[in-house]
Every structure is written in C-alpha cells, then in structure tokens.
Amino acid sequence: MAWRLRLVPEKTNIDFFKIQWVTFGASVAAMLLSLVLIFTMGLNFGIDFRGGTTIRTESTNAVDVGAYRQALQGLDLGDVSITEVFDPSFAENQHVAMIRLSAKEGDESVTPETIAEVEAALQQIDPSISFPAVESVGPKVSQELITSALLAVLAGSAGILFYVWVRFEWQFAVGTVAALIHDVLVTVGIFVLFQIKFDLTIVAALLTILGYSVNDTVVIFDRLRENLAKYKQMPLRDMMNLTANETLSRTIMTATTTFLSLMALFIFGGDVIRGFVFAMLLGVVLGTYSTLYMAKNIVLMLGVDRGDKPKKSVKSDFADVDA
C-alpha cells in the first residue's frame, strides 16, 4: 500500500462543542473589541482613501524601486508607494513606474511644489526619466471610494446570505453570514490595532476572504444536510460533531495549502502586495476557526427543522478528500 501523508488522523472524534461558550464568547468579544478599535483609533487609510497624487514615470533605464525610494527619503512627504508597471505592449527599453504620494495631515492634496521636488530628486538618479502623467485624487473622490468599498462588502455578504438561504435553510444562512462578519470585522480590527495601511487592495482581500470562508462553511453544511437525512434520531449536537470530524481532513488540508502559498507570497512577494497577503493570511485562519466554532454554534442555538428532511440528498464532491 502506498504511503500517504496525513495532516490529521483518518478517524477523529473531537468534541467541538466541549467549550462552546468559551470559543463563541471569544469570537463575540473579538468582534466587539474590533468595533471599539475602529471607532476610537480609526483605520490608517492609504492613498486611495485619503487622497493624493499619482506620478507616472518612464525611462530607458531599468526601474530601481530601492533607488527611487532612497532618493525620496530626504523629502518631507506623506506615505509613498512605488510600483513598477509591466505591459507586453511596452518597448524593450521602455520602463514604467507609478509613484503614489498621499496628502499630508491637514492638506487636501499634494502641492505642485512637492511634485516638482519629487521629479527633481528622481532626475538626479536617472537623467533619462520623464513624467508623462500626473493625476491627483481629492478628498471627495476618496470619500466616494470608502462608500463604494463598504457597499461592495455589504453586497457580497447579502449575496452569500441569499445563496445559503436558498440552498439550505435560514438557520444555515444566519450562521454562515455571522461567521463571515466575524472574519471581516476581526481582520479589520487587527489592521486598526497595528495601524497597517488600509487601501483598495485590502478591500479586495476582504471580498476574497468572504468567498474562501463561505466555501469552507458550505462544504460542512452540505455534509450536515446528508447526515440529517441519514441519522434521523441522532441529537443535533452529536450530528454536528460527527459532520465536523468527517470533513476535518478536508478543512485542514485546504487551510494548510492555502496558508503555505500565501506565506510564500508574503515573504517573497514584495511590499506592494504584502498588505493584501497579510489580510488573506488572517482570513484563512479566522475563516477556518469561525467555520468550526462559530457557524455551527449559531445553527445549534437556532435549531433545525428535521421533520421533512428528504430521504436522499446531494452528495458533496469535496467532503471526502483525505488530508
């Protein structure tokens, strides 16, 4: 028989409800603490939400992000983001970068004098550099972006609520959305606590977290629906424990492989995507936790109508994957 690596034993009998009030209480406390941090400390908004200026540079020499950053360090600037742009349509000696400058505290925009200083500093290290485009984002546009980002997260959550409600029952939908709110809210709270820059890429990460978390939760709920038809006399709590143990190998395997991939990006991906990847790492950990210890708890509290379960249910394609 071929040897196979297992991340968890083939058969497990873990009682996920043994300390359910401790785990559920910790989740609620983390959500409340995150709300307090958001309203007291506030998010450290990036250029997208604070307003600022984007400078497009072109040069016949290769872009050296480190040299660009070093040249701008002596200037009195706010947050600076430097990104090299790649495009197949560029000529062989056409090297493009985007430099984003945030407005300093108390200023509505980056002044023309500051932009001139930036351009002069970059020309000192690369005389061939040119600045074909300079664009500014004002406070009004930034406020519109904040509103759009919030609406995007709410719309994503509402869509997931409707999908789970239609596919399963309303109790499952409530448990799923509560777990999603937990994942997003605690992730944002950690960003506030450590004052990590929050921009549109983090909003994209939050939307990705919603998709990842609901995928894991739906797999477990799909197996639970099968077991509801199979074990009609088993208490709901015992059935949920059985379901979580049956799908545990799949849950751990998915979380571990995703986490390892994200760690590689976090270490080697560079500063541009580090905030996005960090949010995703938090989402993987929190999503796995909330699936096992929050979504099921809420379904257990609300109860499930077991009087009209179908004799045969749709079999999940993923729940039997070994880890």
Side-chain angles (χ1 to χ4, degrees), residues 16-257:
F16 291 98
F17 295 98
K18 186 175 182 179
I19 53 172
Q20 62 174 333
W21 295 114
V22 175
T23 55
F24 188 76
S27 297
V28 173
M31 293 170 67
L32 293 175
L33 180 59
S34 297
L35 284 173
V36 171
L37 289 173
I38 292 170
F39 286 109
T40 55
M41 295 179 62
L43 286 161
N44 179 21
F45 287 121
I47 297 172
D48 297 324
F49 297 133
R50 289 174 55 188
T53 297
T54 300
I55 303 174
R56 179 186 174 95
T57 72
E58 287 192 17
S59 176
T60 55
N61 299 318
V63 174
D64 187 339
V65 174
Y68 284 17
R69 194 178 300 278
Q70 185 70 27
L72 301 180
Q73 277 185 351
L75 304 179
D76 183 20
L77 303 174
D79 292 333
V80 179
S81 174
I82 304 174
T83 309
E84 185 173 1
V85 179
F86 298 94
D87 193 306
S89 64
F90 288 166
E92 185 176 351
N93 63 343
Q94 184 181 10
H95 303 281
V96 179
M98 300 295 289
I99 300 175
R100 308 174 77 182
L101 310 172
S102 67
K104 294 185 291 186
E105 292 292 338
D107 294 339
E108 291 193 355
S109 62
V110 179
T111 64
E113 292 78 10
T114 300
I115 296 174
E117 290 178 0
V118 170
E119 294 178 350
L122 294 174
Q123 286 174 335
Q124 288 183 0
I125 62 169
D126 185 359
S128 68
I129 198 170
S130 61
F131 308 97
V134 177
E135 299 177 351
S136 294
V137 178
K140 182 177 180 180
V141 174
S142 299
Q143 290 299 319
E144 291 175 355
L145 288 175
I146 294 175
T147 303
S148 299
L150 181 60
L151 290 175
V153 175
L154 292 176
S157 300
I160 290 170
L161 173 66
F162 178 75
Y163 164 75
V164 178
W165 195 329
V166 170
R167 178 168 181 179
F168 300 102
E169 296 181 18
W170 69 270
Q171 297 95 328
F172 292 80
V174 172
T176 299
V177 171
L180 297 181
I181 294 173
H182 165 271
D183 299 342
V184 171
L185 194 56
V186 175
T187 299
V188 174
I190 293 173
F191 268 73
V192 173
L193 180 62
F194 296 102
Q195 287 296 289
I196 302 172
K197 191 181 301 181
F198 192 92
D199 53 24
L200 284 176
T201 61
I202 308 304
V203 176
L206 295 179
L207 293 172
T208 308
I209 289 171
L210 292 179
Y212 175 87
S213 184
V214 74
N215 173 71
D216 203 25
T217 304
V218 164
V219 167
I220 293 181
F221 282 170
D222 211 26
R223 175 58 68 89
L224 176 60
R225 183 173 59 178
E226 295 176 17
N227 287 337
L228 284 170
K230 186 176 180 182
Y231 305 104
K232 295 183 179 296
Q233 302 303 319
M234 183 181 292
L236 184 58
R237 170 175 168 156
D238 295 340
M239 187 180 301
M240 286 186 167
N241 264 327
L242 173 65
T243 300
N245 280 282
E246 287 178 342
T247 57
L248 184 60
S249 61
R250 182 263 176 204
T251 299
I252 298 300
M253 182 180 69
T254 302
T256 301
T257 53

Side-chain angles (χ1 to χ4, degrees), residues 12 52 63 103 155 171 223 277 281 318:
T12 60
V63 174
Q171 297 95 328
R223 175 58 68 89
V277 176
L281 286 170
F318 304 103

